Amino acid sequence: MAKTICLYFEIHQIIHLKRYRFFDIGRDHYYYDDYENERSITDIAERSYVPALQALIDMANANGKYFKVALSLSGVGLEQLEMHAPQVIDLLQELNKTGCVEFLCEPYSHGLSSLANEESFREECLRMKAKIKELFGQSPKVFRNSSLIYSDEIGAQVAAMGFKGMLTEGAKHILGWKSPHFIYNCALNPNLKLLLRDYKLSDDISLRFNNPDWNEYPLFADTYMDWIAQLPEGENVINIFMELCALGIFQPLSSNILEFLKALPKCAKERGISFSTPGELCSKGKSVGNLDVPYNISWVDEERDTSCWLGNIMQREAFDKLYSVADRVRICTDRRIKQDWDYLQASNNFRFMTTKHNSVGMNRGIYDGPYDAFTNYMNILGDFINRVNTLYPLDMDNEELNSLLTTIKNQGEEIEAKDRKIEKLQTELEKYHPTQDKAPKTKMETTKAKAATAPKAKAATAPKAKAATAQKAKVTPKKTK
């Protein structure tokens, strides 16, 4: 295998909570700052998502199938885009039509359920997978957890969901002497391939590109590709992962970050370097061995662990309190509670409570500090838990609760098995009846196609109906008195 670049971007949007007092508990069940949510998503769409996605579309059109990229979206971020910035969804669908993008799956809430409740984690991952299928016609085969959180145990859970590969951080304390430029596999399930982020090459673009104090400033595309081409022989998988808002927010458009990005495919081609999607690497590439990750890792902070969310007693108290009702929420059918559950799980709620020294200067939104963030979140959580307990009281018999959970789990497994069987039959059917247009159609496109053909069908059948009526009138004998 020649050297290949796996380029991946994440799209997630913070759901801003409003100021919520202790005296609001039991009286106000709406927890969100609508003005700030609309303002922030509109701002990031204009300054980052729209120009960045347009640049990726231009790169795909200019380079054909040579250029490839991967994207993943959180469900809560997607809801904000659908509500306040639908033009971003349109661009994502336009990029999808180029055939150069692969959509990955992640937890719907961009939360920490993988660290707390296996069934809740599974439910929201499969829900996100269905959402991607509905919007873009792709069924994700590769998974990325919130902030690339990973451990051997999480990998085994992801493999059990049917995913073939997973993205995570090439953390130095895990790799040791090993390189992130190989494909590894989960220690507990060798069927799950692991792609490890090269944090230096990724951060050179997302964090250092516009820093005049950096010794490599200014960075040019040919220099960057020379670094990749000069990697030791055999180190052929270069995973460059970052948030999409790095293009336009972390690195302003005035820094020419998009021009740098657009120049990468040409410079890579000149050096014999290709582009691959995570799915291609996981299906065609071979693993060089197990990667042992007994403790949770992530791509956040210097420690590359989960301490930015669960590093102090306040964060752990809020985390434990939230997931204490996870099983009850899972059997709940109230849509408002389900949505609040997704929004309250989002990892940034815990990030705002961090007291780590490297969090100085962090933008905490409406909060004055970590204690203020903790107090506000716990007030909201108190009201939310009261609502859940009203539906499923604390004195509810454990046997009754477990029975409901078992029933729901069995139903979910049956539906999942049927979906797999339908997908398999559809694949076999396409072999015998190939269509001219094999590009996956979105739900919106299918609806438009049906609407366009419906009048024609009606018009075509009308003359036949009239002819049949006339014929019937002609041959029917007259009745005699």
Short mmCIF file of all heavy atoms in Angstrom, two decimals, residues 15 21 44 84 128 133 250 296 300 423:
data_model
loop_
_atom_site.label_atom_id
_atom_site.label_comp_id
_atom_site.label_asym_id
_atom_site.label_seq_id
_atom_site.Cartn_x
_atom_site.Cartn_y
_atom_site.Cartn_z
N ILE A 15 -25.55 23.01 22.52
CA ILE A 15 -26.89 23.49 22.87
C ILE A 15 -26.74 24.32 24.14
O ILE A 15 -26.39 23.80 25.20
CB ILE A 15 -27.85 22.31 23.12
CG1 ILE A 15 -27.92 21.40 21.89
CG2 ILE A 15 -29.24 22.84 23.48
CD1 ILE A 15 -28.48 22.04 20.66
N ARG A 21 -32.89 29.06 37.79
CA ARG A 21 -32.78 29.21 39.24
C ARG A 21 -33.38 28.02 39.98
O ARG A 21 -34.19 27.27 39.42
CB ARG A 21 -33.50 30.49 39.69
CG ARG A 21 -33.10 31.73 38.92
CD ARG A 21 -31.70 32.19 39.22
NE ARG A 21 -31.33 33.39 38.50
CZ ARG A 21 -30.12 33.96 38.54
NH1 ARG A 21 -29.17 33.42 39.28
NH2 ARG A 21 -29.87 35.05 37.84
N ILE A 44 -21.59 30.37 13.08
CA ILE A 44 -20.63 29.35 12.69
C ILE A 44 -20.91 28.82 11.29
O ILE A 44 -19.99 28.44 10.56
CB ILE A 44 -20.60 28.21 13.73
CG1 ILE A 44 -19.31 27.40 13.62
CG2 ILE A 44 -21.80 27.28 13.58
CD1 ILE A 44 -19.10 26.42 14.75
N HIS A 84 -32.03 26.10 12.08
CA HIS A 84 -31.52 27.46 11.91
C HIS A 84 -30.60 27.65 10.70
O HIS A 84 -30.38 28.80 10.28
CB HIS A 84 -30.77 27.91 13.17
CG HIS A 84 -31.59 27.89 14.42
ND1 HIS A 84 -32.73 28.64 14.56
CD2 HIS A 84 -31.44 27.19 15.58
CE1 HIS A 84 -33.25 28.43 15.77
NE2 HIS A 84 -32.49 27.55 16.40
N MET A 128 -28.65 7.37 15.51
CA MET A 128 -27.87 8.26 14.65
C MET A 128 -27.59 7.60 13.31
O MET A 128 -27.61 8.25 12.25
CB MET A 128 -26.55 8.61 15.35
CG MET A 128 -25.75 9.72 14.67
SD MET A 128 -26.56 11.32 14.82
CE MET A 128 -26.68 11.82 13.11
N LYS A 133 -28.75 7.44 7.38
CA LYS A 133 -29.35 6.69 6.27
C LYS A 133 -30.50 7.47 5.66
O LYS A 133 -30.65 7.54 4.43
CB LYS A 133 -29.83 5.33 6.78
CG LYS A 133 -30.52 4.45 5.75
CD LYS A 133 -29.55 3.88 4.75
CE LYS A 133 -30.23 2.87 3.85
NZ LYS A 133 -29.31 2.34 2.82
N PHE A 250 -11.39 28.40 14.27
CA PHE A 250 -10.06 28.30 14.89
C PHE A 250 -9.00 28.96 14.00
O PHE A 250 -8.09 29.62 14.49
CB PHE A 250 -9.69 26.85 15.15
CG PHE A 250 -10.67 26.09 16.00
CD1 PHE A 250 -10.74 24.71 15.96
CD2 PHE A 250 -11.53 26.76 16.85
CE1 PHE A 250 -11.64 24.01 16.73
CE2 PHE A 250 -12.43 26.07 17.64
CZ PHE A 250 -12.49 24.70 17.58
N ASN A 296 -9.79 4.74 29.41
CA ASN A 296 -10.40 5.62 28.41
C ASN A 296 -9.42 6.68 27.92
O ASN A 296 -8.73 7.32 28.72
CB ASN A 296 -11.63 6.32 29.02
CG ASN A 296 -12.70 5.34 29.45
OD1 ASN A 296 -13.05 4.43 28.71
ND2 ASN A 296 -13.21 5.51 30.66
N VAL A 300 -8.79 15.13 23.68
CA VAL A 300 -8.89 16.42 24.37
C VAL A 300 -7.75 16.62 25.37
O VAL A 300 -7.39 15.70 26.13
CB VAL A 300 -10.25 16.55 25.10
CG1 VAL A 300 -10.33 17.85 25.87
CG2 VAL A 300 -11.38 16.46 24.09
N GLU A 423 -31.68 -5.26 4.10
CA GLU A 423 -30.53 -4.68 3.41
C GLU A 423 -29.81 -5.72 2.56
O GLU A 423 -29.39 -5.45 1.43
CB GLU A 423 -29.57 -4.08 4.46
CG GLU A 423 -28.48 -3.22 3.86
CD GLU A 423 -27.64 -2.54 4.92
OE1 GLU A 423 -28.14 -2.33 6.04
OE2 GLU A 423 -26.47 -2.23 4.63
#
